[in-house]
Amino acid sequence: MTFQRARTDEQRNERRRQILDAAAAMLTEVPVAGLTLTALSRRVCLAKANVLRYFESREAVLLALLEAEIADWISELESATPGAGTAPERGDRLADLLATSLTRRPVLCDLISAQSTVLERNISADTALQHKRAVLGYLGTLVRFTGRHLPELGDEDAATLMQTVMLTAVAAWPGSRPPQAVLDAYAADPALAVMCVDFTDVVRRTTEVVAAGLLTRERQPR
């Protein structure tokens, strides 16, 4: 395939979209650690130098993909209508919604779990600034989403709840996907299987507990 440089903003945006789509497809086949710039370049039929015309590094590609995945996840969440019931009941339903929706998005979870340890290590200050501003905007949207389901929480506590959800996902995702050697150890000694992490259950239960604690604190005089 002969490379043709994108010359208009529309062409450049289309080329960026093609690269992101290719990266997303690859992450359904390999984890973040297995996605290399060389492999990505081959997938989009471009030389590495040409991919770097649109993204400064592999990590910058993955950060942009992370932002797109978060935006798509938020769109799914916002389609859920808040239900009736007591605050604790609504808190439990919210916890289940967040846990199950994240479980259905393995690419998002893989990217989130690698964000601070991998994806933010080989980028410029400009890319970091743009990414952090985007994430801050998404957090604001998630806080408003939480407020619709649990209006008893103020913005500060809603932000605390969402930060807890994301941090729990960061820790639980890799723990719920042990390497084959660990799986073999669990099979050899079933007593060790209690150490295996159930991602959905951990995120759900942690969110339930934190939501209940925040709701209790909101009812107490300060």
Side-chain angles (χ1 to χ4, degrees), residues 74-81 145:
I74 290 174
S75 294
E76 177 192 339
L77 292 176
E78 291 189 321
S79 68
T81 303
F145 160 80

Side-chain angles (χ1 to χ4, degrees), residues 141-211:
T141 303
L142 288 168
V143 167
R144 292 188 292 274
F145 160 80
T146 302
R148 290 195 293 275
H149 287 259
L150 287 175
E152 293 83 356
L153 297 181
D155 286 350
E156 182 179 352
D157 283 347
T160 297
L161 181 62
M162 288 310 308
Q163 288 169 341
T164 301
V165 170
M166 302 313 290
L167 288 172
T168 303
V170 166
W173 185 255
S176 68
R177 276 147 180 76
Q180 188 59 49
V182 176
L183 291 174
D184 291 343
Y186 291 157
D189 186 351
L192 299 175
V194 296
M195 302 173 69
C196 189
V197 175
D198 183 316
F199 177 81
T200 309
D201 187 53
V202 168
V203 175
R204 180 192 294 115
R205 287 189 293 108
T206 301
T207 306
E208 287 174 351
V209 170
V210 174

